[in-house]
Amino acid sequence: MVKNVIQSRGIKELKRLNFIGSDFDVWDAEQSKAASRKYIKYLSERPWINRLADIEGQSNPEVRAAKTLMAYNWGPTKFKSVLKFNEISFS
């Protein structure tokens, strides 16, 4: 039951972002991989992922990759709340 709820929330978000169509099949590995790649790219371009790179004028790809994967696995809302809790400003 919980898996279906989480899965349906993820599907709704992917549809909202136009990463998948109404014919998307969660059991099709190629469709799932393509949607995951698009979503990870989308997350990696969020300002709160790249904030420190902008401030310091440098980009650490390992930190950006770790933050992107954390946002992917935890969900962006929870990940941003952790950043905010730790008093890391993002906008």
Side-chain angles (χ1 to χ4, degrees), residues 45-62:
E45 296 169 347
R46 301 296 88 206
W48 37 269
I49 294 289
N50 296 298
R51 186 188 70 78
L52 291 178
D54 294 340
I55 291 171
E56 298 172 5
Q58 61 185 7
S59 176
N60 184 331
E62 292 166 347

Side-chain angles (χ1 to χ4, degrees), residues 6-24:
I6 292 169
Q7 188 177 58
S8 68
R9 272 198 256 147
I11 296 295
K12 287 178 185 175
E13 180 67 2
L14 292 174
K15 283 182 181 176
R16 185 187 71 78
L17 294 167
N18 293 319
F19 293 159
I20 61 173
S22 58
D23 61 340
F24 181 73

Side-chain angles (χ1 to χ4, degrees), residues 58-89:
Q58 61 185 7
S59 176
N60 184 331
E62 292 166 347
V63 171
R64 284 190 7 237
K67 288 166 67 177
T68 299
L69 291 174
M70 289 173 69
Y72 180 83
N73 288 322
W74 292 1
T77 303
K78 183 174 181 181
F79 180 68
K80 287 191 296 186
S81 72
V82 169
L83 292 177
K84 188 174 182 178
F85 179 77
N86 287 310
E87 298 183 42
I88 298 173
S89 176

